[in-house]
Amino acid sequence: MIPLEFYLLLAAALFCIGIYGLVTSRNVIRVLMSIELLLNAVNINLMAFSNYLDPATATGQVFTVFVISIAAAEAAVGLAIVLAIYRNRDTVDMEEFNLLKW
Amino acid sequence: MDFTNLASQLNAGIILPEGIVVATLLVVLVGDLIAGRASTRWTPYATMAGLSLAIVALIYQWDTATPLSFLGSFMGDDLSIVFRGIIVLSAIATVPMSIRYIEQSGTSLAEFLVIMMTATLGGMFLSGANDLVTIFVALETLSISSYLLTGYMKRDPRSNEAALKYLLIGAASSAIFLYGMSLLYGLSGGKMKLLEISQSFVAADSDAPIGIIVALVFVIAGIAFKIAAVPFHQWTPDVYEGSPTPVVAFLSVGSKTAGFALAIRLLVAVFPVVSEQWHFVFTALAILSMVLGNVVALAQTSMKRLLAYSSIAQAGFLMIGLVVGTEAGYSSMIFYLLIYLFMNLGGFTCVILFSLRTGTDQISEYSGLYQKDPLLTLCLSICLLSLGGIPPLAGFFGKLYIFWAGWQAGAYGLVLVGLVTSVISIYYYIRVVKMMVVKEPQEMSDAISNYPEVRWDLPGLRPLQVSLILAVVATSLAGILSNPLFTLANNSVSHTPLLQAAIDQQQAPKAVVPPVATIAPAVTSVAQR
């Protein structure tokens, strides 16, 4: 049987890849995809913990279902906003969105 | 038989206020579908009526004997009732501001109200959420509807951009928060309820709970984003500047309150084992927020950005109450939130009224406003001075109580930083007031010289006038007649077993009692209640 650590390492690696993509991507769609990676890393974590520590009640697996459904809602809203901004500005490049300056 | 048994176990009556909000939401949504454009006449009033009904339901649940509902997933204790009340009040106050604003922009009002009520619902559930799944779902309900509200002016590129930035930063921070929650789930050996998690941490009794600290870091990142604490604040000025002003008013009070409710419940319930560490982190966040928020606000030229930085600074003041963790600390924080509700929403109502009449938010355009519109000048001045903490107004008493609580608990550094930065903050609030009042007629800005005749009989302005007057009256009188608010804040803390356990535990080290021995029974007794 594969030890629990392997799953946690996989999730941590996926999480780091997601963060890397979040920081470096210029295309908004890629940023949204990186966020999905982050959420999937969490899902792996939850599933692994649920299987190894809490196989009787499996609350972690239930949590995963919630995470997946909310990730879908978030992606839908995200894409809707991207669509609105694309209609107004004809671009999805993060660097171009500089009307509001900090 | 089984079903009735289960239904009685759920104790679903606790979420009656949320149920009322859901019902109102459906009435507005379906009513708008059936009546179409004509529905704008009654939907705002239906919304306000429904939300007020929710407040009445909350009042009836004060001191309920069995606050735990849905098998421990939702906690309707007095602390959550106060926070839910503040969130609903901020939603009620946002409705009259938005009627004219949304109509002038040519978008649908009913949809705006529905999304705003969904955000309110998320905030209310977040205030009482007692397990990880509920926290996450409530947080995302609040966040996703906030993104939609921010981008509501879909033909305005600035609103689009604000929504996109808010969505990307918000989604990333909630993913990080979620990673922290998954670690909590694992570290506690598969527990979801907050108190079970902390019990398992106490039972493990390890010296260097490095895993717990890692989880704490992730969780704090998520919370600090929600309350806009420096250095997790970068989204705030941009989102506040770009989004529709009524939304900003709601975000600055409702969403922030929900964030604080989450902070109190999660940190106090789950992390007593590492309480030194999280107090340290929040001390740093509070100092950074107060200093950076107040200093950067000095340089702002847009009124909405000014209020954004001011709200960051106010979050810093509020965090003092959280950090000191005494009974006075928590109740001063709730008291300040109640006062902040009135003064900040009053301020935003004035900004909305000004931008409705002139179409601008620039601070320089306010110069000479007194000549044309004395009432607006008076109201905005009162709200800004109260935010700055000038004595007879409510904000002064709020700050006084927070600083007093901090001083009593020995957080001298924090209080001193708070005092110095509130002096700085008075400067930029007064600057706006001075600009409005003392300018000579020839120095009037273009917007003021073309100022339209003051008329309150345009559709949608009458409710705005009423809410403005109410907010200003509350801001000026809440300080002097603060006793009911004060009692409310105190009672909500002293009637909440969760906070009482944490306060006892804070005092335990002083009495040289081994900490674990005192935490464990306290936490268990809370869990049993």
Side-chain angles (χ1 to χ4, degrees):
Chain A
M1 191 157 169
I2 307 170
L4 175 60
E5 286 81 5
F6 283 32
Y7 290 102
L8 299 188
L9 282 176
L10 173 67
L14 205 56
F15 194 78
C16 292
I17 295 170
I19 294 278
Y20 175 77
L22 202 66
V23 175
T24 54
S25 302
R26 289 182 60 185
N27 190 314
V28 176
I29 306 295
R30 279 176 70 145
V31 179
L32 284 175
M33 286 160 70
S34 308
I35 290 170
E36 293 299 311
L37 272 190
L38 295 181
L39 292 172
N40 282 335
V42 174
N43 286 342
I44 293 179
N45 243 355
L46 285 172
M47 293 300 285
F49 280 134
S50 168
N51 256 337
Y52 282 80
L53 304 173
D54 180 26
T57 54
T59 41
Q61 301 187 20
V62 179
F63 200 167
T64 311
V65 176
F66 277 97
V67 175
I68 291 172
S69 54
I70 283 176
E74 211 163 52
V77 171
L79 288 174
I81 292 172
V82 172
L83 203 61
I85 205 166
Y86 183 74
R87 282 187 181 147
N88 282 328
R89 306 283 301 276
D90 269 335
T91 175
V92 287
D93 189 342
M94 287 298 285
E95 313 270 313
E96 300 286 318
F97 301 142
N98 48 12
L99 286 177
L100 309 163
K101 286 263 172 59
W102 47 62
Chain B
M1 181 61 204
D2 257 2
F3 180 75
T4 49
N5 195 13
L6 184 71
S8 69
Q9 267 185 0
L10 283 182
N11 192 13
I14 293 295
I15 61 157
L16 179 67
E18 282 82 355
I20 295 173
V21 176
V22 172
T24 319
L25 190 154
L26 289 176
V27 167
V28 171
L29 190 64
V30 175
D32 179 55
L33 279 177
I34 294 171
R37 199 79 185 150
S39 70
T40 39
R41 274 203 306 278
W42 59 269
T43 40
Y45 304 102
T47 308
M48 283 192 275
L51 292 175
S52 312
L53 208 61
I55 295 235
V56 174
L58 279 173
I59 292 170
Y60 272 103
Q61 296 203 334
W62 185 260
D63 268 346
T64 174
T66 50
L68 215 53
S69 69
F70 289 95
L71 311 175
S73 291
F74 189 84
M75 185 72 160
D77 51 13
D78 289 356
L79 181 75
S80 83
I81 289 180
V82 168
F83 276 106
R84 283 143 85 195
I86 296 175
I87 293 166
V88 178
L89 271 179
S90 74
I92 294 178
T94 315
V95 176
M97 321 182 186
S98 52
I99 301 173
R100 179 81 190 156
Y101 192 96
I102 300 291
E103 272 181 17
Q104 217 167 53
S105 73
T107 37
S108 157
L109 181 60
E111 284 162 30
F112 179 85
L113 295 172
V114 166
I115 303 174
M116 197 187 70
M117 276 191 274
T118 318
T120 313
L121 196 66
M124 289 171 84
F125 273 118
L126 191 58
S127 309
N130 206 30
D131 73 10
L132 298 181
V133 182
T134 318
I135 287 179
F136 175 65
V137 174
L139 182 72
E140 288 299 302
T141 312
L142 172 61
S143 305
I144 292 180
S145 25
S146 307
Y147 309 147
L148 287 171
L149 285 176
T150 308
Y152 199 71
M153 303 291 147
K154 60 175 186 268
R155 286 187 201 85
D156 175 12
R158 298 163 72 82
S159 174
N160 290 159
E161 191 178 316
L164 187 68
K165 282 183 174 166
Y166 194 20
L167 175 105
L168 294 180
I169 302 177
S173 87
S174 63
I176 291 170
F177 180 67
L178 192 60
Y179 193 77
M181 290 211 283
S182 77
L183 289 181
L184 284 180
Y185 173 69
L187 288 166
S188 63
K191 299 283 192 293
M192 279 289 172
K193 306 250 171 5
L194 299 186
L195 289 170
E196 286 177 4
I197 294 174
S198 77
Q199 272 170 314
S200 77
F201 287 168
V202 173
D205 191 24
S206 62
D207 285 333
I210 184 74
I212 301 176
I213 289 178
V214 172
L216 176 69
V217 169
F218 284 112
V219 166
I220 284 183
I223 293 173
F225 165 79
K226 207 74 216 156
I227 59 178
V230 179
F232 301 93
H233 70 290
Q234 275 98 344
W235 59 277
T236 323
D238 285 7
V239 170
Y240 281 23
E241 192 187 352
S243 37
T245 321
V247 175
V248 183
F250 179 73
L251 287 184
S252 71
V253 179
S255 174
K256 200 163 273 209
T257 307
F260 273 106
L262 170 69
I264 292 188
R265 197 167 293 275
L266 196 57
L267 293 173
V268 170
V270 176
F271 293 106
V273 192
V274 287
S275 93
E276 232 169 78
Q277 282 85 345
W278 75 255
H279 279 102
F280 174 73
V281 174
F282 267 85
T283 309
L285 290 179
I287 290 176
L288 284 174
S289 305
M290 286 189 286
V291 171
L292 198 125
N294 281 318
V295 171
V296 179
L298 292 174
Q300 297 308 315
T301 54
S302 154
M303 195 67 194
K304 278 159 92 177
R305 277 184 99 86
L306 177 93
L307 286 173
Y309 280 105
S310 128
S311 87
I312 293 173
Q314 306 284 349
F317 295 133
L318 282 164
M319 270 185 273
I320 297 180
L322 178 63
V323 168
V324 297
T326 55
E327 186 147 354
Y330 291 122
S331 45
S332 70
M333 182 178 156
I334 292 167
F335 182 66
Y336 197 71
L337 266 175
L338 282 164
I339 284 174
Y340 175 69
L341 166 86
F342 295 120
M343 55 193 188
N344 210 39
L345 290 177
F348 272 110
T349 314
C350 297
V351 173
I352 288 173
L353 194 54
F354 185 77
S355 78
L356 281 177
R357 288 185 176 154
T358 62
T360 173
D361 290 320
Q362 292 302 309
I363 294 175
S364 53
E365 300 288 334
Y366 280 77
S367 66
L369 181 62
Y370 180 68
Q371 322 278 344
K372 294 285 173 101
D373 196 344
L375 175 71
L376 180 58
T377 312
L378 176 73
C379 296
L380 186 54
S381 305
I382 288 181
C383 292
L384 288 180
L385 292 177
S386 177
L387 279 168
I390 302 288
L393 301 169
F396 169 72
F397 292 93
K399 274 199 181 127
L400 190 69
Y401 190 22
I402 278 203
F403 291 154
W404 175 80
W407 197 264
Q408 287 275 307
Y412 304 117
L414 264 180
V415 174
L416 283 178
V417 173
L419 283 172
V420 172
T421 50
S422 31
V423 172
I424 299 174
S425 77
I426 292 174
Y427 171 75
Y428 61 77
Y429 292 123
I430 296 262
R431 195 171 57 124
V432 180
V433 176
K434 178 175 157 273
M435 200 161 244
M436 290 191 294
V437 179
V438 297
K439 288 271 176 168
E440 298 295 316
Q442 63 270 21
E443 288 178 54
M444 254 183 225
S445 65
D446 296 343
I448 298 293
S449 349
N450 303 326
Y451 201 75
E453 188 195 347
V454 177
R455 288 179 59 190
W456 291 105
D457 51 357
L458 294 170
L461 272 189
R462 195 57 74 182
L464 195 143
Q465 186 189 18
V466 172
S467 79
L468 175 63
I469 304 281
L470 280 181
V472 170
V473 167
T475 309
S476 17
L477 293 185
I480 303 157
L481 308 171
S482 57
N483 224 18
L485 290 184
F486 190 72
T487 321
L488 176 72
N490 268 336
N491 282 348
S492 68
V493 174
S494 59
H495 294 181
T496 303
L498 171 74
L499 290 183
Q500 289 305 314
I503 292 163
D504 292 345
Q505 178 216 335
Q506 260 230 327
Q507 280 151 1
K510 287 178 193 153
V512 206
V513 183
V516 176
T518 50
I519 305 163
V523 170
T524 335
S525 72
V526 173
Q528 281 159 357
R529 287 176 78 150

